[in-house]
Amino acid sequence: MQCIRRQPKRTVSQENMLLEQSRRVAALNGIRLGLKDDKDLKFLLKGSQLLKVKSSSWRKERFYKLQEDCKTIWQESKKVLRSPESQIFSIEDIRDVRSGHKTEGMEKYAKDVPEYRCFSIIFKDQRKNLDLIASSEDDANHWIAGLGKIIAHSNSMNQKQKLQHWIHTCLRKADKNKDNKMSLKELKDFLKEVNIEVDDYHAKKIFQHCDKSKTEALEDDEIEEFYKILTERKEIDSIFQVYSDPEGFMSCQNLVRFLYETQQEEDAVVAAPALIQRYEPNERAKRGNAMTKDGFLMYLLSDEGNIFNPSHRKVYQDMTQPLSHYLVSSSHNTYLMEDQITGPSSTEAYIRALTKGCRCVELDCWDGPNSEPVIYHGYTLTSKILFSDVIKAIKNYAFKTSPYPVIISLENHCSVDQQKVMAQHMTTILQDMLLVAPVDGNKSQFPSPEQLKGKILVKGKKLSRQEDPINGNNNLEAEDVSDEDEAAEIEDESVKTKVEQKGKSDTLKLAKELSDTVVYCKSVHFEGFDDPNHPRAFYEMSSFSESKALKLAQESGTSFIHHNIRHLSRIYPAGWRTDSSNYSPVDLWNVGCQIVALNFQTAGTEMDVYQGRFQDNGFSGYVLKPEFLRDEQTKFNPKSITEGTWGTKKKLQLKIISGQQLPKVNKSKNSIVDPKVTIEIHGVQQDNNKKQTKVVENNGFNPNWNEEFTFDIEIPALALVRFVVEDFDMSTKNDFIGQYTLPFTSLKQGYRHIHLLTKNGDPYSSSTLFVYVNIQDCD
């Protein structure tokens, strides 16, 4: 039997010393965050009792406290055998802090508690919300304000400050006996913590180099020396040396030369002095209008040194064209948090989609109890939510991320009476936001996103005997319209049985009140492309399953493009995707389909490409289609590319140089990643391509590849570039580490950093790739 050696009990003086040390570390981290002596931060560091709310019968007191790193929250747990790691969550994982009853949980289970004592923590990933009740209004305000400040200040830290904060936190974690010194063993533990495997000889060599005092322990200046060695960027030093003088200064003139020649910046003369003022930390260099190596690194890690064109972070495209000329960020079965058969439905799913830039959300509406319509995936075991709650969530979050119009796509299965309730809820809750009449008397084509700013449009069925929605209505109360039942297409035995039992009807009785909410998006069955002599009204739009749409794109690409110049098309996933998997949106964008709806709750390549496309144009949810997908005379066909005005072919040359602070995917202390990078091109068939680097073994902290790749791009306007980093595993599937996707047209040239995203599309705080980009016209 193995004996467990008990740790000697600390004396009172040792405990006091450690407590004082912890306070000093917390104060230092507070200063790093720019929150010196902040009363809210001090309250959080002290911690407080909060009531955690899970259900009407589960409401329990727990102690919550901000750790000394000012980055993590510790939460008390009564669970037996719960690991220490599971009691901690990072502030970086928080998407939002909401005061009052602003979540489903609070709305259902805490209505008896005053709003001023309630708040909720919303996480970035699929984790459940944390609903909390403070003992007083003051306590709640401290938590809400304190967390808000830490999140805001952390986001405003530059890359170098984030790195410094992170490394010092890891150093503190490795200092097991909390003596503010680092032994050789602690140094090796620290290197594993930051994701780098160093053999004993190399670790000892670094240790001895830094141990100037020969005390067998690093402290103070020696730890700073170790920090400098660790964060050295030799690949950037070599670039800097080309443009700097022997004293280590890059003159403004040489910075202009670097920006113009290497970075392909057209406004280099104006940009250079501004970059020195913004990023140079050395006052002497700043006064001399020059840049040091530190300032140069800070510029390369900044937004101006990003691979994504910073001018595309704001709306820069023409937003005055007809609505049908734009790709629209769209979600399928928006209410679902997980799969299509048994998963939960939630208003939170709408909030998440809207805050991710989604501009078209879907509502599957069915008769509910007490004459209140509900939303869920019909014929399945997915949970139900109130239609009115969803409309309230849409009202509150529709325009927080983007001011451009939101489309509510209704799949209506309700009785006439409950349809009237739906119409009433939309009218009374949305009020002026709801579009109920044509804009500026425009009756021949769609208004523009600019004209529809702040407006919510309804897509749904329209009474056929009414006069057209643009010119007014008659007094018909209700009549049969064709039914569109996407839920009935699900390839699941239990669903098929329920559909058969119900006896699927091809028609549905539609209430005039609901019909009247539809102005520009009238749902109709697709009967084939327009006859030029008898064109359909522009406001009539059809929905296609992915297979039907892909067949049309394959067989009638040019006709589909012409259709999509004048009409909106909505595409939805195939019925067999019961696991909420996604299809590639690219082939459908290539024929001008606007509303290509994906399952926003499902991470993966398809969603990465989707978010990559829509981070363009200021993350507004609307991206203007290229000219050749809007031109009435176009002969473009992505499946058969001929000579035409599709843009100049390009040659993309990429050098993957290095990686920085890649996260551990396996949290085991001894597990170090073996990273490799894959570059993917997503576009027309000829452009689709994939190439990858070699594997760097046991180094996620600062791997070096220095590998070059070349891609020929036939249609640049339709191409996206995806960078994927994986942890190579010889025996099993590689583990995903991070990715970044952007439109080819948003690429910046020269030496650039790529700021990697998690599998859910959220940014890592300091994980980057360093690359060189060169784009040339093909001969």
Side-chain angles (χ1 to χ4, degrees):
M1 183 176 150
Q2 189 180 1
C3 292
I4 298 170
R5 204 171 128 204
R6 296 183 73 178
Q7 291 291 320
K9 200 174 174 191
R10 295 192 186 107
T11 65
V12 174
S13 63
Q14 283 175 323
E15 287 288 354
N16 288 340
M17 189 179 77
L18 286 172
L19 201 61
E20 184 51 40
Q21 209 170 290
S22 177
R23 282 197 197 106
R24 277 205 308 272
V25 170
L28 186 63
N29 284 324
I31 291 165
R32 284 196 185 116
L33 278 170
L35 293 171
K36 185 183 177 185
D37 296 330
D38 183 86
K39 67 179 189 326
D40 294 317
L41 185 72
K42 282 182 177 176
F43 179 87
L44 267 58
L45 286 162
K46 195 175 165 188
S48 77
Q49 294 285 353
L50 295 167
L51 277 177
K52 183 177 178 180
V53 181
K54 278 190 178 179
S55 70
S56 52
S57 59
W58 201 105
R59 191 185 281 188
K60 295 184 181 176
E61 199 169 67
R62 296 286 183 262
F63 188 75
Y64 288 81
K65 178 184 182 298
L66 178 67
Q67 305 273 78
E68 64 185 32
D69 61 5
C70 296
K71 283 176 64 176
T72 49
I73 303 280
W74 180 84
Q75 52 186 340
E76 177 191 11
S77 173
K78 304 287 185 186
K79 281 185 184 171
V80 183
L81 301 176
R82 186 166 181 179
S83 67
E85 289 78 19
S86 68
Q87 288 183 251
I88 291 169
F89 62 86
S90 172
I91 286 176
E92 282 173 11
D93 294 337
I94 297 175
R95 183 182 300 284
D96 193 14
V97 182
R98 294 184 202 152
S99 60
H101 303 143
K102 300 271 173 53
T103 63
E104 278 180 321
M106 281 301 197
E107 192 73 33
K108 280 184 193 169
Y109 311 128
K111 276 293 195 182
D112 59 314
V113 182
E115 283 211 67
Y116 57 73
R117 282 176 50 205
C118 301
F119 66 99
S120 301
I121 292 173
I122 318 300
F123 294 101
K124 287 178 179 172
D125 51 25
Q126 303 294 339
R127 221 179 318 180
K128 287 180 180 170
N129 300 337
L130 184 55
D131 292 323
L132 299 164
I133 299 170
S135 57
S136 70
E137 184 177 3
D138 276 356
D139 282 12
N141 288 341
H142 279 309
W143 277 103
I144 296 161
L147 289 172
K149 285 177 195 172
I150 296 169
I151 293 165
H153 284 258
S154 296
N155 290 343
S156 64
M157 286 168 93
N158 63 45
Q159 252 354 71
K160 195 170 179 187
Q161 288 168 324
K162 284 179 185 174
L163 175 61
Q164 191 178 25
H165 193 174
W166 177 64
I167 284 182
H168 280 280
T169 301
C170 293
L171 282 167
R172 179 90 178 136
K173 203 170 172 182
D175 182 12
K176 292 285 186 267
N177 59 3
K178 306 296 179 213
D179 62 355
N180 276 353
K181 297 176 184 178
M182 187 174 277
S183 66
L184 177 58
K185 184 183 181 307
E186 286 173 334
L187 178 133
K188 280 153 74 175
D189 285 346
F190 164 78
L191 290 170
K192 282 180 181 166
E193 186 67 39
V194 298
N195 213 358
I196 183 168
E197 181 75 72
V198 177
D199 59 49
D200 288 355
Y201 170 77
H202 195 66
K204 198 166 183 180
K205 201 173 166 189
I206 297 171
F207 186 83
Q208 287 171 341
H209 172 83
C210 297
D211 185 19
K212 302 282 195 280
S213 59
K214 308 294 179 202
T215 57
E216 296 295 311
L218 307 185
E219 49 190 312
D220 302 331
D221 293 347
E222 294 168 342
I223 290 175
E224 287 304 313
E225 174 72 15
F226 169 63
Y227 169 81
K228 279 180 186 166
I229 290 169
L230 197 65
T231 55
E232 202 171 26
R233 295 281 303 272
K234 288 179 181 171
E235 72 276 35
I236 286 175
D237 293 352
S238 60
I239 302 163
F240 183 77
Q241 280 168 8
V242 175
Y243 294 90
S244 61
D245 61 27
E247 286 184 34
F249 291 102
M250 183 191 285
S251 67
C252 187
Q253 192 177 352
N254 277 353
L255 179 57
V256 168
R257 194 158 62 87
F258 169 75
L259 292 174
Y260 189 73
E261 293 172 1
T262 307
Q263 305 295 81
Q264 304 288 307
E265 301 283 10
E266 291 172 11
D267 61 345
V269 175
V270 177
L275 290 175
I276 290 168
Q277 290 308 306
R278 196 171 301 137
Y279 299 113
E280 180 50 58
N282 183 309
E283 287 302 322
R284 181 185 152 211
K286 206 185 267 191
R287 282 195 301 272
N289 208 17
M291 200 173 242
T292 62
K293 191 165 68 180
D294 280 349
F296 186 61
L297 174 58
M298 283 174 79
Y299 148 64
L300 285 173
L301 282 167
S302 75
D303 213 33
E304 281 94 344
N306 199 311
I307 194 167
F308 183 80
N309 188 335
S311 69
H312 291 191
R313 289 199 195 284
K314 56 182 184 290
V315 174
Y316 68 94
Q317 295 176 344
D318 176 8
M319 300 303 280
T320 63
Q321 302 221 14
L323 199 65
S324 54
H325 287 194
Y326 299 82
L327 305 180
V328 184
S329 179
S330 307
S331 155
H332 170 248
N333 288 355
T334 314
Y335 47 89
L336 292 178
M337 299 285 279
E338 294 168 15
D339 66 67
Q340 306 282 311
I341 305 293
T342 59
S345 304
S346 172
T347 54
E348 197 60 49
Y350 286 90
I351 295 168
R352 287 182 182 184
L354 290 165
T355 51
K356 280 186 173 180
C358 180
R359 298 288 85 194
C360 178
V361 293
E362 187 177 357
L363 284 68
D364 280 7
C365 310
W366 299 78
D367 279 358
N370 307 316
S371 301
E372 281 294 339
V374 293
I375 290 173
Y376 82 112
H377 204 190
Y379 316 112
T380 71
L381 300 173
T382 56
S383 63
K384 299 171 183 177
I385 48 178
L386 288 174
F387 178 84
S388 59
D389 285 346
V390 170
I391 298 300
K392 284 173 195 166
I394 292 170
K395 179 193 177 180
N396 291 333
Y397 288 88
F399 304 110
K400 283 191 185 292
T401 301
S402 165
Y404 292 101
V406 166
I407 300 168
I408 291 177
S409 179
L410 291 182
E411 190 174 310
N412 168 28
H413 305 276
C414 291
S415 61
V416 170
D417 284 346
Q418 293 213 13
Q419 289 176 40
K420 290 176 182 177
V421 176
M422 286 166 62
Q424 187 184 0
H425 282 320
M426 286 194 285
T427 309
T428 55
I429 295 167
L430 299 176
Q431 296 178 344
D432 290 348
M433 286 182 180
L434 185 66
L435 187 82
V436 290
V439 176
D440 298 339
N442 192 341
K443 297 176 182 179
S444 57
Q445 64 172 16
F446 282 109
S448 69
E450 190 63 35
Q451 288 173 298
L452 292 167
K453 262 185 175 177
K455 289 292 180 187
I456 293 173
L457 286 68
V458 176
K459 171 203 159 290
K461 289 290 176 181
K462 192 83 182 162
L463 292 175
S464 59
R465 288 190 209 150
Q466 284 182 283
E467 294 173 48
D468 67 70
I470 299 302
N471 293 315
N473 301 315
N474 69 11
N475 296 317
L476 197 69
E477 283 305 313
E479 71 165 24
D480 288 342
V481 293
S482 62
D483 187 18
E484 290 182 2
D485 192 352
E486 289 169 22
E489 297 175 28
I490 292 183
E491 293 184 19
D492 178 83
E493 286 310 312
S494 64
V495 169
K496 285 179 181 173
T497 306
K498 285 179 185 173
V499 172
E500 284 165 15
Q501 286 169 352
K502 176 181 177 259
K504 187 178 176 326
S505 167
D506 290 335
T507 60
L508 170 88
K509 204 164 273 300
L510 180 66
K512 177 182 181 296
E513 290 84 347
L514 190 60
S515 176
D516 287 348
T517 63
V518 177
V519 179
Y520 284 117
C521 302
K522 177 186 175 182
S523 295
V524 296
H525 278 302
F526 181 70
E527 307 271 340
F529 295 120
D530 274 359
D531 173 351
N533 299 317
H534 302 93
R536 269 179 16 199
F538 73 90
Y539 50 79
E540 292 186 347
M541 63 175 290
S542 300
S543 291
F544 306 85
S545 70
E546 64 176 275
S547 47
K548 174 79 183 286
L550 287 168
K551 190 170 187 286
L552 288 171
Q554 181 70 41
E555 296 173 0
S556 316
T558 308
S559 298
F560 211 173
I561 289 167
H562 279 274
H563 174 84
N564 288 325
I565 292 170
R566 194 157 178 268
H567 300 279
L568 290 172
S569 289
R570 175 179 163 272
I571 320 299
Y572 58 91
W576 58 264
R577 295 186 184 276
T578 55
D579 59 349
S580 294
S581 61
N582 280 314
Y583 57 99
S584 170
V586 177
D587 285 341
L588 298 158
W589 287 335
N590 290 349
V591 290
C593 294
Q594 305 87 346
I595 301 175
V596 182
L598 260 58
N599 292 304
F600 266 53
Q601 74 274 30
T602 306
T605 305
E606 298 81 12
M607 204 60 214
D608 293 342
V609 169
Y610 206 84
Q611 291 298 81
R613 169 58 74 202
F614 285 107
Q615 71 166 314
D616 194 8
N617 200 31
F619 199 52
S620 64
Y622 284 84
V623 171
L624 186 64
K625 294 192 274 189
E627 174 64 35
F628 56 82
L629 294 182
R630 295 180 275 126
D631 176 12
E632 300 272 4
Q633 307 305 315
T634 191
K635 291 184 170 57
F636 179 73
N637 184 347
K639 299 295 179 187
S640 172
I641 292 166
T642 54
E643 290 300 314
T645 56
W646 331 131
T648 311
K649 295 177 191 175
K650 302 286 182 183
K651 189 177 286 295
L652 171 63
Q653 294 170 317
L654 282 170
K655 185 177 185 181
I656 307 294
I657 302 169
S658 61
Q660 294 75 40
Q661 292 87 58
L662 302 179
K664 278 190 169 199
V665 286
N666 183 336
K667 296 301 178 190
S668 155
K669 181 180 160 187
N670 293 313
S671 173
I672 311 294
V673 301
D674 304 318
K676 69 162 192 168
V677 182
T678 304
I679 306 118
E680 302 169 355
I681 307 295
H682 298 260
V684 295
Q685 210 165 331
Q686 290 95 314
D687 291 343
N688 292 339
N689 206 339
K690 183 190 286 193
K691 296 181 182 182
Q692 57 192 40
T693 66
K694 62 181 184 291
V695 176
V696 173
E697 291 187 357
N698 288 329
N699 188 349
F701 184 74
N702 53 6
N704 266 275
W705 291 279
N706 283 311
E707 291 186 60
E708 295 183 22
F709 304 92
T710 301
F711 298 90
D712 290 330
I713 310 293
E714 185 94 18
I715 311 289
L718 297 178
L720 295 109
V721 187
R722 182 172 184 251
F723 299 86
V724 194
V725 188
E726 292 176 308
D727 179 14
F728 176 74
D729 197 309
M730 200 174 286
S731 56
T732 60
K733 189 171 177 280
N734 295 340
D735 287 318
F736 175 90
I737 292 176
Q739 71 83 33
Y740 189 77
T741 309
L742 73 166
F744 179 87
T745 50
S746 294
L747 280 169
K748 290 291 281 182
Q749 296 192 65
Y751 290 102
R752 302 287 169 180
H753 278 97
I754 297 170
H755 295 259
L756 294 172
L757 305 176
T758 67
K759 72 173 192 294
N760 290 310
D762 298 306
Y764 283 115
S765 62
S766 50
S767 299
T768 51
L769 292 177
F770 186 53
V771 300
Y772 177 76
V773 183
N774 182 251
I775 299 169
Q776 295 174 348
D777 292 347
C778 282
D779 298 333

